Amino acid sequence: MNTRLKLLRPRNTRFVIGVFFVVAIGLTHPATAQAAETAMPVNFIVGNLWLLIATAMVFLMHLGFATLEAGLTQHKNTVNILFKNVCIVSIGILTYALIGFNLMYPGEEFAGGFFGFSGFWISTDPAGITPAYNENYTYWTDFIFQAMFAATAVTIVSGAVAERIRIEVFLVFALVYVSLCYPIVGMWKWGGGFLDTLDTPFYDFAGSTFVHSVGGWAALVGSIMLGPRLGKYVGRYVHDIPPSNLPLATIGVFLLWFGWYGFNGGSVLSADPGSVSYVFVTTSLGAAAGILGAMLTTIVLIKHLDLAMMLNGALAGLVGITAGADQLGTLDAVITGFVAGGLVVASVLFIDRKLKIDDPVGAISVHLVCGIWGTLAVGIFGNLASIGQFTSQVIGVVSVGAFCGLFSFVVFTVIKRITGLRVTADVEVKGLDHHEHGISGYRGFREEERPLYEKLGGEAAVSATVDLFYKKVLADDRLKGYFEGVDVERLRRHQKSFLAVAFGGGALGTIGQKLRGAHAHLVEQGIGDAEFDRIVDLLEAALAELKVPKELIGEALQTIDGLRNDVLNR
Amino acid sequence: MNTRLKLLRPRNTRFVIGVFFVVAIGLTHPATAQAAETAMPVNFIVGNLWLLIATAMVFLMHLGFATLEAGLTQHKNTVNILFKNVCIVSIGILTYALIGFNLMYPGEEFAGGFFGFSGFWISTDPAGITPAYNENYTYWTDFIFQAMFAATAVTIVSGAVAERIRIEVFLVFALVYVSLCYPIVGMWKWGGGFLDTLDTPFYDFAGSTFVHSVGGWAALVGSIMLGPRLGKYVGRYVHDIPPSNLPLATIGVFLLWFGWYGFNGGSVLSADPGSVSYVFVTTSLGAAAGILGAMLTTIVLIKHLDLAMMLNGALAGLVGITAGADQLGTLDAVITGFVAGGLVVASVLFIDRKLKIDDPVGAISVHLVCGIWGTLAVGIFGNLASIGQFTSQVIGVVSVGAFCGLFSFVVFTVIKRITGLRVTADVEVKGLDHHEHGISGYRGFREEERPLYEKLGGEAAVSATVDLFYKKVLADDRLKGYFEGVDVERLRRHQKSFLAVAFGGGALGTIGQKLRGAHAHLVEQGIGDAEFDRIVDLLEAALAELKVPKELIGEALQTIDGLRNDVLNR
Amino acid sequence: MNTRLKLLRPRNTRFVIGVFFVVAIGLTHPATAQAAETAMPVNFIVGNLWLLIATAMVFLMHLGFATLEAGLTQHKNTVNILFKNVCIVSIGILTYALIGFNLMYPGEEFAGGFFGFSGFWISTDPAGITPAYNENYTYWTDFIFQAMFAATAVTIVSGAVAERIRIEVFLVFALVYVSLCYPIVGMWKWGGGFLDTLDTPFYDFAGSTFVHSVGGWAALVGSIMLGPRLGKYVGRYVHDIPPSNLPLATIGVFLLWFGWYGFNGGSVLSADPGSVSYVFVTTSLGAAAGILGAMLTTIVLIKHLDLAMMLNGALAGLVGITAGADQLGTLDAVITGFVAGGLVVASVLFIDRKLKIDDPVGAISVHLVCGIWGTLAVGIFGNLASIGQFTSQVIGVVSVGAFCGLFSFVVFTVIKRITGLRVTADVEVKGLDHHEHGISGYRGFREEERPLYEKLGGEAAVSATVDLFYKKVLADDRLKGYFEGVDVERLRRHQKSFLAVAFGGGALGTIGQKLRGAHAHLVEQGIGDAEFDRIVDLLEAALAELKVPKELIGEALQTIDGLRNDVLNR
C-alpha cells in the first residue's frame, strides 16, 4: 500500500459537520452512470475490480475475527463477543465515511506531518471515477477498501478485553479509536505524513504496524487496565481457561487467512500480475511457516499438540509477513513466518504466565508482538534490508506505539472515571450473555436432555402446580360451572399423572385417545377454543406464581397446546 | 440489472420437452474451445469474469441462509432446515436450466407483457460466447448468474415455514415456485415485460422486489396457512422460542453480506469501475446503517441488546439498499439502511405480537417489508426520485404482491387438499430431525457426559443383561463346552463387576491384565476370533432383547471390542 | 488444466538441497517491482488475476474439508481432525515449494515419461512475471495455484483414516505423499509425461484423477491397513456411528462447492470468457444433479431423508464433473453428476456394509469411486467421447491407481513397522482429543449445567475440603494468628455452608454483605491482598490434595476471587 496523495479529490464544502442523519432527499446524486466507458485503460478496469473483490475478502475477515474470538472464549460469553463484532463493522464503516477516510488520506492540500483533515463525509466529482483519480481504481473503491481495513484494527481489541469489559465501554472506545486514532496514525505513512518523508522512509506494505499493531497496542492497554478475568490469577495459581468451540475458532482462522489474500494482495493497489502473484506466494509461505514454527515451539515448550497455538501460529505468520510481503524473498518469507510462529507461542506463555496480563485470545501476541516483528523484518530481510531501514522501522514502531498507547490510556481512563470498565463480579461469573443479552449463544445443547417433567422439579413441583391450577379453575367464572358435581380430588390425581406423562416426553398419541374420551361430554356441553385458552391461561398463571422459569413455561404450554384437538374432540 | 433482450439467442428445437434425464451421449457439444480469442474487448473479458466471481459469491449466500436459519431455529429441527436448503440449491439450478431462464428472459422474439417462453433447456450457438451475445458477458455467464438468484428467492421461504412444514410439501412448493412464479414475475421488468414499458419504468436494480419480496410473499402466505408452531400462541401467552445457535446465525449473516457484494455488485452486469465501486459503497453503508437502526430501535423497544435483531438489521439494510444501490446517494443509502434496520425490529415485533403470524426467523420482516421499503425508496431518494417514479414503484410492488400472493395461496391450497401441510403434533414436539431424518444435528453434545454404565440403566440393567447373556451363552452349541465344570454363579458376579468398570469409563488398561489371566486357559483350549465374535453376538442379542437403544448397543460393543486382544491373549 | 511445458523456467543453482531454514538475509530478491507495466496484454493481466482469485477459493476448500470431516466424525475426535487439516495446509504449501512443483512441472529440459525434477525450491528470473513465461499468468501464480491443489489431495485422506490413526503417522504419511506421490503422478499428464503423449492423450481437466483419485487411493489403502474403528464391526453387527455436527458438515460442503468454482474455473488457466463460464455451468449442473441422484437413491436404498448422503451427493457430482467440465455437454453434465450422486450412496453402503472397510466420512466413495467415474465419463460423453478416449482413460485410471496404491502401501507398511499405525484401544474409546491434545473441541456444552458444588462431589467433598483447608490455615505462620480465640468448629460449619452457596451458583451479591460483616474486624487488624492470596493458595492446595480436577479448581478459585473486595471490605 504505497503512499497515495489525493491530488484530485474535490472538497465538498456543502457537507457540514453533523449532517450525518439529516434527511437529504435529492441532495446526493452519485456520479456513476454518466461516466463514459469509452477506451478506459485496462489497468483501471482490472485494478479496480481486484480491489473491490479484495474489499469483499477483507470484509470476510470480520467474520473470521467474530468466530475466532467466540471460539476461543467461554461458552457463557459467546453472544457478547458476537455482538461486539457485529457492531464494530457498522461503526467502522460509518465513521470511516464520516471522518476517518478524510483524516487518513486528507490529500496534499490538507496533509500535515502528523495531522490533516479534509472535511466530513465522502464525496467526489465525476473525475473520481476515472483514471484521473488514480490509474488503478476509483474514489469509491479507494474508500471502501480502506474502510474495511479500519474496522479490522478495532476488532483486534475485542478479543483481548473479552469476557469482562462492559459492552457500552467497548463500543465507545471502538468508536473513538477507529474514528481518530487509527486514521491519524495511518496518515503518518499512507497519507504522506512524517514517517513517509523520513530520509529512509518507514515501510509497512499492508499494515503489520498500521493495522495490526495499532489494534494490538489498544489490546495491551485495555487488558492491563481491565485486569484479568476473575480467578485467572489467584494467589500463585494461573488458571488456564480453555476455549469453548475449537471448530468455530478454526473457521475463524481459515477465513482470516482467506481474507488476507485480499488484505495483502489488494494492498498492491493494482492488479499488476507480478506484484499481486508474488504477494500471494509470500503470504502463503509466511502463514504455512507460521504454523510450522508454532508447532515445533509448542512441542518444545508445552509438550502436547495444541490446536489453538497452531491457529495462532498461522495468524502470526500472516501478521509477520504483512509489512514486507512485496519486499521479502521467498525464503525470507518462510523465515519471517517461522519466527513469528515461534514467537507467538513464547509470547502467549510469557504474557500469560510471567507478565500475568490476561488476553483470552492471544491478540497481543499475534497482532502486537508479531506486528512489530514483521515491521522490523523489513529492515532485516529482503530488498530494503539495511541499517537505515531498520532504524526507520524502529522509529515507526516506537512512534506508533507511543501515540496509540497514550491514546488508549487516556480514552480508557476517561471512560473508567465516568462509568467504570468492568462488569460486576456477579455478572462475570454467570456470564455476560445472561446479563447483558438475556440469552445463551447455544440453547438446547444441554437442557433438553432431561424431560420437562424433571426440569420443572419432578413430582413435587407438578403436584403443587396442579393444586394451584385447580384452585384457579374452580374460582374462574367461565370454567367453574363445568366442575359442579365432579370429584375434584380424583380429577386432580388424574391430572397429576397425566401431566407426568405429557411432560415426561411420552408419546402424545396415546394420551390423545384418553383425552378424547374424558372430554367428550364437555364438548357436548359446548366447550371450545375459548375455554381451552382460558385453561391454558390459568395453567400459565399457576406456573408463573410458582416461579417456574419463563422458558419452561413456554415449553409446558407448547406441550399442552399440542393436545388441543384431542381435548376438543376434533 | 437492466433489461437485456436476448436478440441473439438461438432456439434449439432439438431439445424437446421432458428430455431432462434422457441419455444424450454425444448430443451436446459445448461451443467453447472453438472461440477465437483474438482481440476480445476488455469489457467482455473483465465483465464476464466479474459476473462469474459474483455468481460464486451469490452461491455462498445459500450457505448463509442455511446457517442463519439453522442458527435461529430450535436445536431439534436443525437437520430439517439444512436438508431443505441443500435441496433448494439443486432444485433451483436444475429447474432454472430446464425452464426458468427461458421464462424470465425469453428474448425479444418470445417476450410478452406478462408472459413469454422460449423453450426448454439451455443452449447457445458459437455467438453466445462472444460479445455478439452481450458486450459484457457470455450466454453461459448470463444463465448461471441468474440461476443463483432464482434459487435464493425460494430459500427465503424456508425460514418462515420452518419447524412445522412437511418436508415433501416444502420441496414441491419450492419446485413450482422457482420454476414458474419467480421467472414469470421477473420477466415483467428484467425480461422486458409490462413494468419495464411503463411511461416511467419501474426500477429494481438488483432485486428488492423481484428476489426478496417474491420470496417474502410466499413466506407470508406459507406461515399464515401453516399456522403458528405449537405453543407459540396459547391463550394470551406469546412464547418467545429462542434461537439455538447464535454463532451459526452470525456466520449466516456475514456470509449473506459477503455474497451481497456479488448480488448487488454483479447486478451492474459489467465491471464498469465507477458503477461497481459505487454499488459496493452504497451496499456497505446500507448494511452498516441497518445495524445501527436496529440497535437503536431495539434499545427503545426491547430494552436489551438483542443479537438476533442486530443480525436482522444488517440484512434489512442490505435488502433495503438493493433496489436502488446504483441510484441512491451515499447519505440516501445510510438513511434507507437505517430506516430498514428500525423497520425490521418494529415489524418483527408487530408480526409476532400483534398479527400473531409465526415466522421463526423474521423472514417476512426482512425480505418482504424491507424489500417493499427499498423499492419505494427509489421513488423517494436519489437520482430517480419523483412522484411518477414513486407511483411506478407502487404499481410494481402491488402487482408483484398480488401475483405472488395468489400463486402461493393456490399452490399451498392444492397441496393442503392432497397431503396436508403440517407434520403431526407429536412429530413437532419431538422435533422434525428425529422423525423425518432419524438423526440429531448435534450428536454427542449431551449424552456422552454420563458414563455408558449409567446410560444403560445402572446396576439393575447391567445385571439383567448379564443374566440373559449367560442364559444365551450356556445354550450356545459352540460356547457351552467351555463352561463345563465352571462356577457360573461366580462368573456371573465377576462379569457384572467387570462390565460396571468397563462401561463406567474406567481405564481399560488395568482391566486388560486381569482379562489376560482369566482367559489364558481358554486360549490354550483354542478360543479365537470366532468365539469372541460369537460372544459379542450373544451380548448384542441380550441387549437388544432388553430393548437397549441401538446407539447404546453400539457403544457397548465398541467397548467390548476394545478388549479383544486382551481376552485372546495377543 | 492443459499441459504446460515450462520452457522458460530458469534453474537456480544457488539453492542447494537442505537450504530450507538457513537464514538467507539479502539472498533472495523478488523480481517484482522491476517489471515494466507498459502494454501488458489483457489476457495476461486478467487471466493472472483470475487464477489468483481461484487460488484463494481453492484455499477455502481446506476449511471445507476441515469442517466437513469434523462434522461427520465423533465429538470426541474433533480437535484431532482439525489439527490434521491445519497441518496439511502448512505441509502442502511448504513441500510443494521445496520439491513438489519442480517434480510435477519439471519443464521440458528435465521432464521424462514417468519422472522429472528440476531442483529444489521455487524461483524465477524477471521473465517469470511477464507473458514470456505464460501468456495468461506469472510463474508465481502458477506455483501458488498448483500448491493449493497439492494440499487438497492429501486432505482427502484424513477423513478416511480419522478417529484411530496416530497423529504423527498421519503427518509423516501426508508429508511423503504430497512431496513425492502427488507431483510424480501429476507430471504424467499435466507435466507432459507419458499419459499426455499417448496416441489419444489421457484427459483430466481439473483433477478427477490427479487430485481426487490420488487422494482416494491413499484413503482406501490407509483405511484397510488401519482396520475399522473399535466396535464398528463386531461379530455380525455393523455399527452406524452417527456424525456429531451436521451444521458444520454442511458448512464444509458449501465451502467446498464454492471453492470448486475456483478449482474447475481456474483450471481453464485463463480468463477466457467462453471457457470459464461454460465450466461454471457444467460444475453447477453436476453438483445439483449429484444432490438429486443421491436423494433418489437414498429414498430407494435407505428409505429416509439422509442429510449426510445428500451432502456427499453434491461432492460426488462435483468430483464427477471435474475431469470433463470443459468437454461435456450440459445434459452430459447433468447425467454425469446424477450418476455420481447415485453411485456415492450405493458405494458408501457397499464399502461400509459389504466390504466392511471403515471410512468415517465416505471419502473413498466420493473421491475415488466418483473420481474414476468422472474420468471414464470423458470417454463416454461430450466432445472427446470415443472408444480410443475411453481406453486412454482406463489406462490413466489403472496406472495412477497402481502407483498410488503401491506407494501408499509401502509408506504405511514402513511406518507400521517402526511405530504402529493406530492409537491404543484405551485412547480410541476415550477419544483422541483427550489423549493427544488434552482438550475438548466443545467445552462447556455439557459440564456447566451442573453447579460447581455438585461437580466437586457435593456435601461430602466440600466438607472434606474445608476440613483440610482449616488444617492448613491453622498451621500457617502468617494466618494462624488471626484465629486465636476463635471457635474454629463454628467457623468450619459456617465455611461449609458458605461454600455450598458460593459453589451452588447462588447470588454472590447476597453473600457479599455477610462477608463484609464477618471480616470487618480482620480488616481492622490489617488483613489485605497478601492474606487473601495466601488463603486462596491454601484452598488450592487442599483441593489439589483431594485430587479435584484442575479445571474445577480453576472454577472454584474463580468464584472465590470474585469475593475478594467483599472480604477485604473495599
Side-chain angles (χ1 to χ4, degrees), chain B residues 197-483:
Chain B
T197 55
L198 294 178
D199 285 345
T200 306
F202 177 75
Y203 195 80
D204 182 9
F205 171 63
S208 287
T209 285
F210 291 116
V211 179
H212 294 282
S213 87
V214 165
W217 287 111
L220 178 68
V221 172
S223 53
I224 293 174
M225 289 185 68
L226 275 164
R229 288 168 288 175
L230 280 180
K232 174 71 195 173
Y233 307 110
V234 210
R236 61 183 179 193
Y237 188 83
V238 176
H239 178 198
D240 283 332
I241 301 175
S244 62
N245 192 336
L246 282 168
L248 199 62
T250 306
I251 288 175
V253 168
F254 275 90
L255 290 180
L256 283 164
W257 187 336
F258 174 78
W260 231 289
Y261 288 117
F263 194 93
N264 282 3
S267 292
V268 171
L269 296 178
S270 81
D272 175 59
S275 302
V276 180
S277 62
Y278 189 72
V279 166
F280 265 62
V281 171
T282 52
T283 301
S284 305
L285 291 174
I291 294 174
L292 195 65
M295 178 154 67
L296 298 182
T297 316
T298 308
I299 290 171
V300 172
L301 294 182
I302 310 191
K303 298 189 175 42
H304 72 120
L305 301 170
D306 188 316
L307 177 60
M309 284 297 187
M310 303 279 287
L311 295 174
N312 274 337
L315 297 181
L318 289 162
V319 171
I321 198 64
T322 290
D326 64 335
Q327 298 295 340
L328 302 185
T330 52
L331 283 174
D332 304 334
V334 172
I335 296 162
T336 303
F338 185 82
V339 170
L343 201 56
V344 84
V345 175
S347 170
V348 163
L349 294 175
F350 184 74
I351 289 175
D352 188 64
R353 307 267 160 97
K354 301 296 172 198
L355 299 183
K356 298 206 173 183
I357 296 170
D358 185 18
D359 173 3
V361 305
I364 300 166
S365 301
V366 168
H367 299 282
L368 179 56
V369 174
C370 293
I372 292 174
W373 158 244
T375 305
L376 299 180
V378 174
I380 304 173
F381 303 112
N383 292 330
L384 301 178
S386 72
I387 302 291
Q389 187 67 49
F390 188 82
T391 312
S392 291
Q393 300 301 96
V394 171
I395 293 171
V397 166
V398 171
S399 53
V400 169
F403 186 84
C404 292
L406 192 67
F407 191 100
S408 304
F409 178 75
V410 170
V411 176
F412 275 125
T413 303
V414 169
I415 302 177
K416 191 173 186 173
R417 294 265 166 102
I418 301 173
T419 67
L421 300 177
R422 279 182 84 120
V423 297
T424 64
D426 200 30
V427 169
E428 187 176 340
V429 169
K430 281 197 190 151
L432 280 70
D433 290 359
H434 180 77
H435 182 266
E436 308 223 17
H437 308 282
I439 202 166
S440 160
Y442 305 95
R443 183 176 172 269
F445 281 79
R446 297 195 293 246
E447 71 262 32
E448 280 171 17
E449 186 182 12
R450 293 154 59 213
L452 179 60
Y453 184 73
E454 213 180 294
K455 284 189 280 182
L456 287 170
E459 197 188 332
V462 170
S463 183
T465 306
V466 170
D467 290 343
L468 184 57
F469 168 64
Y470 273 101
K471 214 162 119 189
K472 289 177 184 294
V473 167
L474 295 177
D476 189 82
D477 288 340
R478 169 178 275 160
L479 298 173
K480 64 184 174 192
Y482 295 104
F483 292 87

Side-chain angles (χ1 to χ4, degrees), chain C residues 405-456:
Chain C
L406 192 65
F407 191 100
S408 304
F409 178 75
V410 169
V411 176
F412 275 125
T413 303
V414 169
I415 301 177
K416 189 173 187 175
R417 293 264 166 103
I418 300 172
T419 66
L421 299 178
R422 279 182 85 120
V423 297
T424 65
D426 198 30
V427 170
E428 187 175 342
V429 169
K430 281 196 188 150
L432 280 69
D433 289 0
H434 180 77
H435 182 266
E436 309 223 16
H437 307 281
I439 204 165
S440 160
Y442 305 95
R443 182 175 172 270
F445 282 78
R446 297 194 294 245
E447 71 262 32
E448 281 170 17
E449 186 181 13
R450 294 154 59 213
L452 178 59
Y453 185 73
E454 212 180 294
K455 283 189 280 181
L456 286 170

